[in-house]
Amino acid sequence: MGSKERIQRIKEETRSNILDAALQIVREDGWQALSMRKIADKIEYTAPIIYEYFANKEGILFELTRIGHQLLLQDVRSAKAAQTEPDLQLEAIWMAYWNFAFSQTQLYQLMYGVDMVCCEQKKALPEAIASAKIINDTISELMVKPTPDMICRKYYTFWSIIHGLISINLLNKGTGDEMNQHILKDAIHGIINTIND
Amino acid sequence: MGSKERIQRIKEETRSNILDAALQIVREDGWQALSMRKIADKIEYTAPIIYEYFANKEGILFELTRIGHQLLLQDVRSAKAAQTEPDLQLEAIWMAYWNFAFSQTQLYQLMYGVDMVCCEQKKALPEAIASAKIINDTISELMVKPTPDMICRKYYTFWSIIHGLISINLLNKGTGDEMNQHILKDAIHGIINTIND
DNA sequence: TACATTTGCTTAACGCTGTTAAATAGTTTA
DNA sequence: TAAACTATTTAACAGCGTTAAGCAAATGTA
């Protein structure tokens, strides 16, 4: 009778289990180790079951990308809220990106990896847009005469150097050591100081 | 009789054909389309033949990485040679990186892609080291009191922002449009101007 | 209660992947 | 001419993403 909701509930649970299992496999053995059959093994089903919850493997990756952007958005919001001055807010936000990349490396790789799929959709992800908006707003607050074009340019400059530093550190299997964190802070201050040029 | 050399020659030719075929496939349909059988088709052999020239697929990727670093090294050398002043040399070198990324996108993806294989070997590649040395020397010439530590830090800062900007542009399927080239030049000048801070 | 239908799940299969071993054809050597 | 060696292919294995068919258990209906 009233088991409609119960069924719905365990279905959502299974869907969540699939995502959890996928992430667990990737954390243990990297993206190249992820397969539908391994996910199925982990949730104690067989592979075809997964296709009742996701259209295909890319669908799972897309959902994980979304989860990643959700988590990052939370961190960005907290970072901004923890500071009052725009310059400190901006620094805190980029440090949040940095920390996210090394604490959630696999999600970061998926979200910003070069060859990873789901490129088109990413742009449209509301969580990603929300994070970008927070950053743009903070940059705007720092400018004496902000124009959309200048804000965008500064945003790209910031994002490039952070993403670049992170990439190099991830490539070198580093965990974001002190020297590079130093470089990051230097670069952030450099851009902030010349933000009105 | 004297066909030993001829055989050697056509063997080297086949090896080269394998690499050419691989690169051609990747240029046409992307990295995910590359397979041993497709390479074999293109050179009009069957797949197992390839294993007499390369240990495995990763061996091909490694060799392509090497070729990429060789080409880039040439560009870097030309860029430096075309200028006399260190600051202009440095700008020209980074522009060479930028142009390489968009003219040889597939090789660039292989050389610096996040999830691509051959990570450990890359650091040891002599061509990659040679390019890095040229850049470090040029940075050193720009400094009034260069120390290894500071040179390294500036190198990382440069490389991060260039690699970051390139990544974003490649992700957005862009071809390195004018605005981002503008950002790149701005950033380079910014770092050069504060190189002694 | 008996039959029909739907649901949940598995098995089997297709075409693809990288890779290896066995078989075959072709050329060289004795 | 017979034996040895070389070049190349065919066949196969295990794994991949994905789909279709089958089965078994639960549900709805008479």
Side-chain angles (χ1 to χ4, degrees):
Chain A
M1 300 289 212
S3 61
K4 268 281 180 67
E5 295 98 7
R6 188 180 55 90
I7 288 172
Q8 185 71 12
R9 185 155 38 80
I10 66 168
K11 278 217 168 189
E12 274 165 25
E13 203 170 293
T14 303
R15 193 188 134 93
S16 166
N17 285 344
I18 291 171
L19 295 171
D20 286 350
L23 206 48
Q24 199 180 326
I25 291 165
V26 173
R27 288 209 174 104
E28 278 164 11
D29 300 313
W31 281 106
Q32 125 261 76
L34 183 65
S35 83
M36 300 299 261
R37 286 176 174 88
K38 280 185 199 162
I39 295 174
D41 274 6
K42 201 142 243 173
I43 63 170
E44 296 186 301
Y45 276 109
T46 49
I49 281 291
I50 304 177
Y51 291 85
E52 294 186 9
Y53 297 87
F54 298 93
N56 46 33
K57 192 181 181 182
E58 198 176 338
I60 297 176
L61 298 188
F62 177 69
E63 195 55 33
L64 288 177
T65 313
R66 229 170 59 82
I67 290 172
H69 279 290
Q70 279 172 356
L71 292 175
L72 181 57
L73 176 58
Q74 281 181 10
D75 291 353
V76 168
R77 285 204 173 116
S78 306
K80 180 160 175 107
Q83 305 289 333
T84 49
E85 298 302 312
D87 56 340
L88 295 178
Q89 285 177 339
L90 203 50
E91 182 187 323
I93 289 172
W94 292 123
M95 291 306 293
Y97 267 75
W98 176 267
N99 291 327
F100 181 87
F102 292 104
S103 65
Q104 305 275 7
T105 305
Q106 291 74 24
L107 286 180
Y108 185 89
Q109 286 172 341
L110 180 60
M111 291 154 72
Y112 301 110
V114 178
D115 75 334
M116 287 291 174
V117 235
C118 355
C119 281
E120 291 81 77
Q121 302 111 314
K122 226 165 27 192
K123 265 170 90 175
L125 269 182
E127 293 89 352
I129 294 170
S131 291
K133 188 169 165 11
I134 293 176
I135 295 170
N136 277 309
D137 288 350
T138 313
I139 292 175
S140 172
E141 291 168 36
L142 269 173
M143 287 184 166
V144 285
K145 198 170 170 297
T147 67
D149 189 57
M150 276 306 294
I151 295 172
C152 182
R153 279 176 59 175
K154 288 293 169 185
Y155 171 78
Y156 262 58
T157 309
F158 265 117
W159 172 223
S160 296
I161 195 163
I162 275 95
H163 179 57
L165 268 172
I166 289 170
S167 296
I168 290 171
N169 274 270
L170 287 183
L171 263 180
N172 295 358
K173 311 250 180 221
T175 48
D177 65 2
E178 211 179 331
M179 168 177 146
N180 287 306
Q181 199 164 333
H182 205 105
I183 293 175
L184 175 65
K185 283 195 175 178
D186 270 10
I188 292 174
H189 291 147
I191 307 179
I192 289 179
N193 290 337
T194 60
I195 205 163
N196 287 304
D197 296 352
Chain B
M1 301 291 206
S3 62
K4 269 281 179 67
E5 296 99 8
R6 188 180 55 90
I7 288 172
Q8 185 71 13
R9 186 154 36 80
I10 66 168
K11 278 217 167 189
E12 274 165 25
E13 203 171 292
T14 303
R15 193 188 133 93
S16 167
N17 285 344
I18 291 172
L19 295 171
D20 286 350
L23 206 47
Q24 198 178 327
I25 292 165
V26 173
R27 287 208 175 107
E28 278 165 10
D29 300 312
W31 282 106
Q32 123 262 78
L34 183 66
S35 83
M36 301 299 261
R37 285 175 175 87
K38 280 185 198 162
I39 295 174
D41 273 6
K42 201 142 243 172
I43 63 169
E44 296 186 300
Y45 276 109
T46 49
I49 282 291
I50 304 178
Y51 291 87
E52 294 186 9
Y53 296 89
F54 297 93
N56 46 34
K57 191 180 183 183
E58 198 176 338
I60 298 176
L61 298 188
F62 177 68
E63 195 55 34
L64 289 177
T65 312
R66 230 171 59 83
I67 291 172
H69 278 290
Q70 279 172 358
L71 292 175
L72 181 57
L73 177 56
Q74 282 181 11
D75 291 353
V76 168
R77 285 202 174 118
S78 306
K80 178 159 176 110
Q83 304 289 333
T84 49
E85 297 303 312
D87 58 339
L88 295 179
Q89 284 178 338
L90 203 51
E91 183 187 324
I93 289 172
W94 291 123
M95 290 306 293
Y97 266 76
W98 176 268
N99 291 327
F100 181 86
F102 292 103
S103 65
Q104 305 276 8
T105 306
Q106 292 73 26
L107 287 180
Y108 184 88
Q109 286 172 341
L110 181 59
M111 292 154 72
Y112 301 111
V114 179
D115 73 335
M116 288 290 175
V117 234
C118 357
C119 280
E120 291 82 74
Q121 302 112 314
K122 225 163 27 190
K123 264 170 94 173
L125 269 183
E127 293 88 354
I129 293 170
S131 291
K133 189 170 164 8
I134 292 176
I135 295 170
N136 277 309
D137 288 351
T138 313
I139 292 175
S140 172
E141 292 168 36
L142 270 174
M143 287 183 167
V144 284
K145 196 171 171 299
T147 66
D149 190 56
M150 275 307 294
I151 295 172
C152 183
R153 279 176 57 174
K154 287 295 169 184
Y155 173 78
Y156 262 58
T157 309
F158 266 115
W159 171 224
S160 296
I161 194 164
I162 275 96
H163 179 57
L165 267 171
I166 290 171
S167 297
I168 289 171
N169 274 269
L170 288 182
L171 262 180
N172 294 359
K173 312 250 181 222
T175 49
D177 65 3
E178 209 179 335
M179 168 177 146
N180 288 305
Q181 198 165 333
H182 205 105
I183 292 175
L184 175 63
K185 284 196 175 178
D186 270 10
I188 292 174
H189 291 147
I191 307 179
I192 289 179
N193 290 337
T194 61
I195 205 163
N196 287 304
D197 298 351

